[in-house]
């Protein structure tokens, strides 16, 4: 149902999610959005790319009428909220994105996907943030990796557009061989080769023709053999102010090269500092203040390059000396870490922020 004097928010979703709504099946995340809208009181509808008619500038959207899901024709939204990993930035959807922009649709996020190499260069050029970056280079040919091994025995290889711990390989050089680790079908794969050329073949088979970066490994904390890093969920609220919703610590599967795995363990950041790292109260407060300054600087730096963002997931690590290291940022966070560390209610708050921020965007545009 449409409400007067409120923004119409179109929520771009996967085809399968829209199909489920047609069958009256609602995922946890969509349920939380619907319940958050009981407070925000905006007009929301869900749609996939196949629901968009570029000839009429209309969308067949799914909306909840308080009892069940119905489909009807909507105009283009006032504000677009993207829930798809690469959103409308992929080539096959560019026409839809361009049509939205021509019609003045506001985007909650300026981009739906980040290139890791591009983000690295943006942050590298910020004097305050450069020191938080692990040494990073593009992988173009095997000699690039040989050069990296001259300064570190442990290197991470990553595709520039990979997500959720996928398409990442850790390689470690020893006197006798090269060990490599990666995640395949939710399992940790560990193997070794004797020769550097054999390692390069493994890398080629794993990554194919994808664009790859190489990074020195961070000396991150290991808890019972589990790698620890952090996901900070940051948003702009209904006043347009940057707000940290929650920072979750992820402990990966034993021996995993990444923290985001099916068997990950999650903690609130403050709990991790006190219970796992045994920080005293004043040490916790000092570290949390340092992290907040770091996160806000990253957020604003990314916005200065791409445009405004209503939300961002920022991954970082703290090494054994207490130094903060930037890992990556994500424009379409699934909020899994947030939910598992803090519970369901914090996820609903994050969605409420999105809807309230959409209202803020429209009010700012009118004034």
């Amino acid at each position: 149902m449409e409400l007067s004097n409120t923004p119409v928010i179109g929520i771009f979703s996967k085809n399968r999610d829209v199909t489920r709504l047609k069958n009256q099946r609602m995922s946890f995340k969509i349920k939380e959005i619907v319940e958050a809208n009981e407070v925000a009181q905006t007009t929301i509808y869900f749609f996939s790319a196949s629901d968009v008619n570029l000839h009429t500038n209309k969308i067949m959207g799914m909306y909840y009428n308080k009892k069940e899901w119905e489909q009807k024709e909507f105009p283009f939204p006032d504000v677009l909220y993207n829930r798809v990993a690469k959103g409308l930035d992929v080539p096959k959807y560019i026409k839809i994105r361009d049509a939205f922009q021509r019609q003045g649709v506001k985007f909650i996020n300026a981009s739906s996907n980040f290139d890791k190499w591009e983000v690295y260069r943006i942050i590298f050029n910020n004097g305050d943030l450069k020191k938080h970056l692990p040494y990073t280079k593009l992988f173009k040919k095997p000699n690039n990796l040989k050069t990296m091994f001259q300064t570190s025995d442990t290197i991470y290889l990553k595709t520039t557009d990979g997500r959720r711990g996928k398409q990442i390989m850790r390689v470690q050089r020893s006197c006798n061989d090269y060990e490599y680790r990666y995640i395949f079908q939710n399992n940790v794969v560990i193997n070794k080769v004797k020769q550097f050329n054999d390692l390069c073949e493994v890398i080629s088979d794993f990554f194919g023709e994808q664009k790859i970066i190489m990074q020195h490994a961070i000396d991150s904390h290991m808890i019972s053999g589990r790698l620890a890093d952090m996901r900070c969920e940051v948003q702009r609220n209904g006043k347009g102010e940057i707000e940290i919703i929650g920072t979750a610590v992820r402990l990966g599967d034993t021996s995993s090269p990444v923290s985001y795995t099916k068997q990950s363990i999650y903690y609130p950041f403050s709990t991790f500092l006190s219970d796992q790292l045994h920080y005293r109260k004043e040490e916790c407060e000092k570290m949390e203040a340092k992290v907040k300054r770091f996160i806000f600087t990253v957020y604003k730096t990314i916005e200065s390059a791409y445009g405004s963002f209503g939300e961002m997931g920022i991954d970082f690590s703290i090494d054994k000396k207490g130094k903060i290291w930037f890992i990556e940022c994500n424009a379409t966070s699934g909020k899994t870490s947030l939910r598992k560390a803090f519970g369901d209610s914090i996820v609903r708050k994050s969605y409420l922020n999105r809807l309230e921020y959409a209202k803020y965007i429209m009010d700012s545009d009118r004034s």
Side-chain angles (χ1 to χ4, degrees), residues 138-146 196 200 214:
L138 273 176
F139 179 92
K140 295 181 179 179
K141 54 186 179 181
N143 276 344
N144 299 145
L145 183 56
K146 268 191 177 179
F196 180 76
C200 292
M214 308 173 293

Side-chain angles (χ1 to χ4, degrees), residues 135-171:
Y135 184 68
T136 304
K137 292 291 182 181
L138 273 176
F139 179 92
K140 295 181 179 179
K141 54 186 179 181
N143 276 344
N144 299 145
L145 183 56
K146 268 191 177 179
T147 302
M148 288 290 282
F149 275 133
Q150 292 175 5
T151 49
S152 176
D153 288 328
T154 307
I155 307 295
Y156 273 84
L157 302 172
K158 309 175 181 179
T159 59
T160 57
D161 63 352
R163 302 177 73 248
R164 298 180 174 236
K166 297 177 180 178
Q167 298 175 308
I168 294 176
M169 179 185 291
R170 191 184 81 174
V171 293

Side-chain angles (χ1 to χ4, degrees), residues 232-269:
C232 184
E233 295 288 353
V234 201
Q235 299 180 323
R236 287 194 178 273
N237 59 28
K239 296 180 181 179
E241 301 164 339
I242 300 175
E243 176 182 345
I244 292 177
I245 297 297
T247 302
V249 176
R250 305 175 294 200
L251 302 183
D253 193 11
T254 304
S255 303
S256 171
V258 297
S259 67
Y260 191 95
T261 64
K262 192 174 182 179
Q263 293 81 21
S264 292
I265 298 171
Y266 300 85
Y267 294 93
F269 184 49

Side-chain angles (χ1 to χ4, degrees), residues 166-231:
K166 297 177 180 178
Q167 298 175 308
I168 294 176
M169 179 185 291
R170 191 184 81 174
V171 293
Q172 187 168 10
R173 182 185 63 173
S174 69
C175 296
N176 301 316
D177 52 40
Y178 297 90
E179 179 193 271
Y180 58 92
R181 302 184 183 203
Y182 58 84
I183 301 294
F184 180 71
Q185 295 182 348
N186 295 318
N187 294 312
V188 180
V189 176
I190 304 175
N191 216 329
K192 295 180 180 181
V193 291
K194 291 288 185 182
Q195 303 298 323
F196 180 76
N197 288 343
D198 294 332
L199 175 64
C200 292
E201 285 188 22
V202 170
I203 292 170
S204 178
D205 289 342
F206 185 76
F207 291 106
E209 299 298 319
Q210 297 182 90
K211 186 179 174 184
I212 307 169
I213 58 171
M214 308 173 293
Q215 292 185 322
H216 282 181
I218 300 166
D219 189 21
S220 301
H221 288 279
M222 301 288 290
I223 307 297
S224 300
R226 294 172 177 265
L227 178 69
D229 70 14
M230 297 81 195
R231 160 63 64 90

